[in-house]
Amino acid sequence: MPSETPIAVTPLYPMIYEPLMRRALEEDLGRAGDLTTDTVVPPEARARARLVARGPGRIAGLPIALSAFTLLDPGLRLLSAQRDGDDVAAGTLLAVVEGAARPILTAERTALNILGRLSGIATATAAIVGALAGLGTEIVCTRKTTPGLRALEKYAVRVGGGGNHRFGLDDAVLIKDNHLVVAGGIRPAVERARAQVGHMVKIEVEVDTLAQLRELLDLRVDAVLLDNMPPETLRAAVEMVSGRMITEASGGITPESVRAVAESGVDMISLGWLTHTVKNFDVGLDFEAM
Amino acid sequence: MPSETPIAVTPLYPMIYEPLMRRALEEDLGRAGDLTTDTVVPPEARARARLVARGPGRIAGLPIALSAFTLLDPGLRLLSAQRDGDDVAAGTLLAVVEGAARPILTAERTALNILGRLSGIATATAAIVGALAGLGTEIVCTRKTTPGLRALEKYAVRVGGGGNHRFGLDDAVLIKDNHLVVAGGIRPAVERARAQVGHMVKIEVEVDTLAQLRELLDLRVDAVLLDNMPPETLRAAVEMVSGRMITEASGGITPESVRAVAESGVDMISLGWLTHTVKNFDVGLDFEAM
Amino acid sequence: MPSETPIAVTPLYPMIYEPLMRRALEEDLGRAGDLTTDTVVPPEARARARLVARGPGRIAGLPIALSAFTLLDPGLRLLSAQRDGDDVAAGTLLAVVEGAARPILTAERTALNILGRLSGIATATAAIVGALAGLGTEIVCTRKTTPGLRALEKYAVRVGGGGNHRFGLDDAVLIKDNHLVVAGGIRPAVERARAQVGHMVKIEVEVDTLAQLRELLDLRVDAVLLDNMPPETLRAAVEMVSGRMITEASGGITPESVRAVAESGVDMISLGWLTHTVKNFDVGLDFEAM
Amino acid sequence: MPSETPIAVTPLYPMIYEPLMRRALEEDLGRAGDLTTDTVVPPEARARARLVARGPGRIAGLPIALSAFTLLDPGLRLLSAQRDGDDVAAGTLLAVVEGAARPILTAERTALNILGRLSGIATATAAIVGALAGLGTEIVCTRKTTPGLRALEKYAVRVGGGGNHRFGLDDAVLIKDNHLVVAGGIRPAVERARAQVGHMVKIEVEVDTLAQLRELLDLRVDAVLLDNMPPETLRAAVEMVSGRMITEASGGITPESVRAVAESGVDMISLGWLTHTVKNFDVGLDFEAM
Amino acid sequence: MPSETPIAVTPLYPMIYEPLMRRALEEDLGRAGDLTTDTVVPPEARARARLVARGPGRIAGLPIALSAFTLLDPGLRLLSAQRDGDDVAAGTLLAVVEGAARPILTAERTALNILGRLSGIATATAAIVGALAGLGTEIVCTRKTTPGLRALEKYAVRVGGGGNHRFGLDDAVLIKDNHLVVAGGIRPAVERARAQVGHMVKIEVEVDTLAQLRELLDLRVDAVLLDNMPPETLRAAVEMVSGRMITEASGGITPESVRAVAESGVDMISLGWLTHTVKNFDVGLDFEAM
Amino acid sequence: MPSETPIAVTPLYPMIYEPLMRRALEEDLGRAGDLTTDTVVPPEARARARLVARGPGRIAGLPIALSAFTLLDPGLRLLSAQRDGDDVAAGTLLAVVEGAARPILTAERTALNILGRLSGIATATAAIVGALAGLGTEIVCTRKTTPGLRALEKYAVRVGGGGNHRFGLDDAVLIKDNHLVVAGGIRPAVERARAQVGHMVKIEVEVDTLAQLRELLDLRVDAVLLDNMPPETLRAAVEMVSGRMITEASGGITPESVRAVAESGVDMISLGWLTHTVKNFDVGLDFEAM
């Protein structure tokens, strides 16, 4: 776990995540509801459930996860013991849910599924960010997110101390190799984009070689994506750019290679696997009758 | 990769996955659409895109992924070179998309995100299934799925040769430790469930010890979940059960330990990480102008 | 009315029925709202409305019906005088709604429509259940429900003392005559199903003749649906099965014939008309100014 | 069955009913789809299904019902042998569906559920309309419809030869007894409504007594609802009105009493049970392999 | 501004406008939320925002607009200083919002967009209504509304003192010139409509000439739409009708010509531009830290 | 009308606008459909409808408008005579719709409502753009759009030759006066934003005075919004900025004052009234039987 102070990321408004959580609950309840709880647990039973981290990591999505309980039963009482962005050890109490036993048991899996996924992303991001301590290189995620969860997964990356690249195809221009295939070269592509997009839209171009980078240099774009370059080439690229645009390394970078990449001096490194290959953060629900 | 013949899993109907794919496309297009493609790529440009496996694995979700292209532009032509369930080597052509260049580039990421996720699940499942070759133990997934994607992720497990445990809280009874806390013991819990659920609903009970298992034996439930038991205990449990109900091992089982667990003779092993900790299957899109 | 103690059926969570009630209110309000109430009733008028049973029956869906009032105006005060599952006589007060007169009048029909339908189902079910008193035969409903209301109508059957057969095509296997047409016989059909469905899924097979039943006997399925058999044949079937699987009678059974069918000894009787041919339970709204 | 020529009612546009049919299919498929068909029926099996009336009646909703098949699989071929509004005898072929066996079996129940309900309404309506042959009294339905199905159920009444009263609270004014409680009498109620509603909105008032009717007479409303009056009183009311407004009888009218009520000379009779107490019209699906 | 007392129009229920406001907020928040506020404004900052009219006009939609704030953050406190229907001068305080600074700033534009539009409609309507003071002619809007906002825009017209023509194609019959093209003349068109629509549905016919009007006179419809007639012709038409049906002038009427049209004696004038050509009512948000 | 060549703006994908058009059709059809057309127009009637411009202007949204016809009846045939971006004179034929008369008449208003609104925006934008011919100043719209129509209205501005400012709160930072109130000055606000937003996000700051502008100059933001400054002050501001960032004038600019503002040398002018105060573009539907 990185020792840095967790960053206070702006929380998401409930109207952003409640529709997803509602769909998730409906997905689990189906048409017949929770057959087990509804038949086995007496209606009057009351309980206290403690969400506890089963391993070390950075918490993300705790308010989102807890909303599963109150969406199902607004009468449940929630107490958060940690906040998003907190680094916790195994065994740390994250939150307590109290009230009717049935809805606690019924919403449990929905709550843990989202908490495990978002905290998993935050934890992996924080680990990488920690691995680059002292280098000033930013770690950013990509558009390789789970369908329907982009806003939440990008939030988890922020909680992990990373940054967000584009949220979609509509908030910045990123001219990639495939665009160049049909655009007739870097210059016409950049010029066409610049002529048509709004004045608040930045432009980035992906290059595979230093030759392409040279061609790009006097087109004054905002950023360059240096794709699949070894550290030495990256170093040369950074030197060539010399601060005239933001340099971003991408492609084939692993937890093992990331520090070497960062030491090339690039401004940022984008990692698809922060969101597409997630290790679930394990959270347990300790349950006691009241 | 397992060498067994891939199983012909029933494909999902488009009405099951199209709403999700539509949401995923909308999530990427936002309000302004694909700024890059719309400005850089000439409207008359036509292209052929080849989806190619970047590594070995089992394909799942190919028709689902390809629907991203035709939902955006029904005029695009799709050709599948592989089918769900096929095992492929790195470099294998999966499908070809032909037509207007713009919608191909715009739908690319949405298509690859779902294909990578579902094929990743199928590949991991197939690997585990292959590791148990000859043992007759079934591998099943759990309800630890991504919010909104349960039907698709469970489909991917089937494509991988695994089975599906419950799809939700409503299709079977699974009495867990937390239920027992408020139910007053195994017997009353089972009896209450049996008295109230429909005749087409099966009942499974989770036990942590052989003592609990003994208590369960004469209650004639359909299955027992043997939670977090070491192989020796599992072996004793299987012997004790002696075919009177289905035995399922669960909890803390890793790819490394799974064969040892299976050799205990349990009927099935359930693995949450099949769906909660997914390694993306890497698919590339090779793009050429036509 | 049966004299047995009403069963305490687990109530549905509001998130299950509120979307339907919202749609129902929108359907009645249209774009212009309640022209009559909005123009005729002064905004400051306050009222007390009493929902009163107009005939004897079993109440089902009271909290669902009352939600129409508070969805329209959260300021209305609700008091339930009866609970779902209660048997009432004509004239029994069911609930009181107090507050602004306008929303009470506007939501009235939406509330009564669902209450009448669900209580009608519960009442009819309770009557049949009562008619079988002492026999131990269970009454269950089918998938012949109103589009969009399956969860609610099946709940009403439970409130009436009946059981639920499958909630959909996905929670159990029921091999019917039409499946057999293309499956090449009972044995291959059962074997194919068993090989592919999850371990928590039960299998039932429909048979029309004792010959078919004999074929089925050693296939060890969970239940048999004895279709359209006269009581004598049913009796023979029950004897042949001799407890090895659940026996269900179905097809052409009327309130008049149901006891004779039950006396054949079958475990359960499924009745499509419990939900497809509903006699509305009449509830009135007595309205007084406050 | 009435012998009159069926009326050519304008069919509903698919965009009106497809969302409901889609929800109904989803309700039946759940997350796991049709377990039976998907495992028992070979993917290559092709079939022909014939929808056949199991009793005499008037068909309503045939295109709506058939859309279940093509929404699931656009490749199925539909052939309608009857049209909405046709009167059929038991055994009449209604439609044929041909193509892949699986989607035919999976969509069957959804199709039959809506066809049975709508044809049931049309058949009951046609019977009442037939019972009034020669009298010129119109039969109309009310707002006592199933939540979510109002447009369809009102369509079925039209197919049955009946008329439609209000579709909602927003297309006409109907001042009822409860409105009068808070409005301070018939005159102020009518005047307030007239002053505020648009010029294309008609006004009807419910009266319980001839005294009330007299008070209403010179207020020049469009229609009067004569509530719960015996035939003699109705006759007196019709005479008193003498064509100055439309007269509608309502309340407690049964199939047995309807002709006597009509003979009072009222212009129309509204019947809540046309839609709230529906006898399902039985349709079977005869299935053969191709 | 007209000096007449504002009319107390029945307010819309939140369930009518909240889905639209929610969509509007989502449209502004996108996937990443309010980048500016979330980064620039400290989470603990509290503020008071005053909505102030920037010009004179009639307020409509204030509760609708304010719901943007509480949908985003239910903790914000709202105080309305004016009510819908109030005429205000430039500088008038309309409402105060207090609480966390962030959600106030984030919801501001959504709130002002709807308030400006609806108050703009009400203001323009009130101006026209005022211009006809003393004439008794009613001003009504048409179906030329913004897609998705019909209920709200028609409400704003009512708040402006105008009336509503049809809310949709389904609440009254309006036979226009194009219908006549395929209907074979006025008489068959009217007769066909009358024979088929419900008894609570009014019929209006559009005529272009006095000759057509003459043909219409003895068909006893409820209203006539006199299309594009100069004041003299309208006067002749009104005389010809002589109170036997409602007369409505429409087509090409401007603020300048409307009084002359009204002086022809028509009962009402319908104006498409009340809703299709809206001048936004300018409201500012004065913001201070607390 | 400006004489410049219309710009080929990328058309919107149907999946972007079809949900809105579907809602608009549903809004007009209600529950009972088009009472007039359904009763007056024979089902077999066929017609040809010609959409004709009633005045001069620039067309925007023609494919969107025409989708109303085919969403209602996929059998209708559409022929576009003009394309979005074309400048037309009064009387110009825009498109022809052929097929069944009923759906043409029923979808007419929905089609014309959106076409009139979007073409109105494009026409007003084109007029302003034309008024600045030769000056190189860009005209851009704001977030003052109709709830639910932002993507479409911003598209119409592009078709008019204008540019788009932010699409929402999430695609760029715009620090306004109200943000500064709680942020403690320009410098901390800019620094906080820069530290937290992604590298592809631009930053603009609103200033009211030249003093504020001076403070902003060395903070190296991307753009400055010069609020409510008279042309002389704008000129001084442009000189002070001297190309170091984009200059945008905003606030109180009218069609009359816009050229004087532009001559100050600002890079762009943003105009809220392009979208909040729309003059409908009048399109007629000429209808003939076939």
Side-chain angles (χ1 to χ4, degrees), chain E residues 13 25 37 39 44 97 127 130 133 140 157 164 167-169 178 199 207-208 222 239 264-265 273 275 283 290:
Chain E
Y13 285 105
L25 280 168
T37 300
T39 56
E44 68 281 2
V97 187
V140 298
V157 168
N164 296 146
F167 272 74
L169 294 161
N178 286 339
H199 70 292
V207 301
D208 300 319
D222 298 284
E239 204 165 299
S264 71
W273 48 264
T275 51
V283 177
M290 279 173 69

Side-chain angles (χ1 to χ4, degrees), chain E residues 108-119:
Chain E
E108 168 186 353
R109 177 58 27 228
T110 301
L112 297 188
N113 279 352
I114 194 73
L115 184 55
R117 176 166 194 85
L118 297 186
S119 299

Side-chain angles (χ1 to χ4, degrees), chain B residues 30-94:
Chain B
R31 294 146 306 205
D34 185 347
L35 294 181
T36 312
T37 300
D38 289 354
T39 57
V40 166
V41 176
E44 69 280 2
R46 299 183 70 74
R48 175 182 298 117
R50 301 156 57 88
L51 277 70
V52 178
R54 294 276 184 249
R58 182 166 293 187
I59 298 307
L62 192 53
I64 300 173
L66 294 176
S67 76
F69 295 104
T70 42
L71 281 170
L72 193 63
D73 179 354
L76 293 178
R77 225 153 42 93
L78 307 175
L79 287 128
S80 295
Q82 302 288 328
R83 290 182 322 155
D84 278 10
D86 287 349
D87 287 319
V88 301
T92 305
L93 175 71
L94 305 181

Side-chain angles (χ1 to χ4, degrees), chain C residues 100-185:
Chain C
R102 281 178 171 180
I104 294 177
L105 289 164
T106 299
E108 169 186 354
R109 178 56 28 227
T110 301
L112 298 188
N113 279 352
I114 194 74
L115 185 56
R117 177 165 195 85
L118 297 186
S119 299
I121 292 173
T123 300
T125 306
I128 292 292
V129 168
L132 303 191
L135 288 181
T137 321
E138 192 179 11
I139 290 294
V140 299
C141 58
T142 67
R143 287 168 41 247
K144 298 183 178 177
T145 57
T146 313
L149 273 74
R150 186 163 291 168
L152 276 65
E153 294 183 346
K154 294 221 161 220
Y155 165 76
V157 168
R158 292 197 298 279
V159 170
N164 297 146
H165 211 294
R166 294 192 296 172
F167 271 76
L169 295 161
D170 64 331
D171 51 2
V173 168
L174 175 45
I175 301 173
K176 296 197 177 179
D177 51 356
N178 287 339
H179 295 107
L180 297 179
V181 167
V182 279

Side-chain angles (χ1 to χ4, degrees), chain E residues 129-192:
Chain E
V129 168
L132 302 192
L135 288 182
T137 322
E138 193 180 10
I139 290 294
V140 298
C141 58
T142 66
R143 287 168 40 246
K144 297 182 177 175
T145 56
T146 311
L149 274 75
R150 187 163 290 168
L152 275 66
E153 294 184 345
K154 294 217 161 225
Y155 165 76
V157 168
R158 293 198 297 280
V159 170
N164 296 146
H165 209 296
R166 296 192 296 173
F167 272 74
L169 294 161
D170 65 331
D171 52 2
V173 168
L174 175 45
I175 302 173
K176 295 199 179 179
D177 50 356
N178 286 339
H179 295 108
L180 297 179
V181 166
V182 278
I186 290 179
R187 176 174 297 271
V190 169
E191 284 173 351
R192 248 182 264 154

Side-chain angles (χ1 to χ4, degrees), chain A residues 20-21 23-24 27-42 45-47 101-102 105-110 113-114 117 143-151 153 166-183 189-190 192-194 196-197 201 275-282 285-290, chain B residues 20-21 23-24 27-42 45-47 101 105-110 113-114 117 143-151 153 166-183 188-190 192-194 196-197 201 275-282 285-290:
Chain A
L20 177 76
M21 293 306 287
R23 269 205 300 277
E27 195 179 44
D28 214 14
L29 289 170
R31 294 144 307 204
D34 184 348
L35 295 181
T36 311
T37 300
D38 289 354
T39 57
V40 165
V41 177
R46 299 183 69 75
R102 282 178 172 180
L105 289 164
T106 299
E108 169 186 354
R109 177 59 24 230
T110 301
N113 279 352
I114 194 74
R117 177 167 194 82
R143 287 165 42 245
K144 298 183 177 175
T145 56
T146 313
L149 274 74
R150 186 163 292 168
E153 294 184 346
R166 295 191 296 171
F167 272 75
L169 295 161
D170 65 331
D171 52 2
V173 168
L174 176 45
I175 301 173
K176 295 197 177 179
D177 52 355
N178 286 340
H179 295 107
L180 296 179
V181 167
V182 279
V190 170
R192 248 182 264 155
R194 182 170 293 138
Q196 292 178 65
V197 299
V201 176
T275 51
H276 76 47
T277 295
V278 176
K279 184 174 176 329
N280 190 60
F281 177 77
D282 196 8
L285 184 139
D286 296 340
F287 185 86
E288 51 178 325
M290 278 171 70
Chain B
L20 176 77
M21 293 306 286
R23 269 206 300 277
E27 194 178 44
D28 215 13
L29 290 170
R31 294 146 306 205
D34 185 347
L35 294 181
T36 312
T37 300
D38 289 354
T39 57
V40 166
V41 176
R46 299 183 70 74
L105 288 165
T106 299
E108 169 186 353
R109 177 55 31 226
T110 302
N113 279 352
I114 195 73
R117 178 166 194 84
R143 285 166 44 246
K144 298 183 177 174
T145 56
T146 312
L149 273 76
R150 186 164 292 168
E153 294 183 345
R166 295 191 299 172
F167 272 75
L169 295 161
D170 65 331
D171 50 2
V173 169
L174 175 46
I175 301 174
K176 296 198 178 179
D177 51 356
N178 286 340
H179 295 107
L180 296 179
V181 167
V182 280
V190 169
R192 248 182 264 153
R194 182 171 291 138
Q196 293 177 65
V197 299
V201 175
T275 51
H276 77 47
T277 294
V278 176
K279 185 173 173 329
N280 190 61
F281 177 75
D282 196 8
L285 183 137
D286 297 340
F287 185 86
E288 50 177 327
M290 277 171 71

Side-chain angles (χ1 to χ4, degrees), chain D residues 206-242:
Chain D
E206 174 186 318
V207 301
D208 299 320
T209 64
L210 294 180
Q212 281 183 307
L213 177 57
R214 200 163 299 120
E215 189 184 343
L216 183 64
L217 270 184
D218 56 325
L219 288 172
R220 294 189 314 133
V221 298
D222 299 285
V224 61
L225 189 155
L226 304 160
D227 189 42
N228 261 313
M229 294 182 177
E232 323 72 74
T233 318
L234 285 172
R235 200 175 313 258
V238 168
E239 206 164 296
M240 196 185 293
V241 168
S242 186

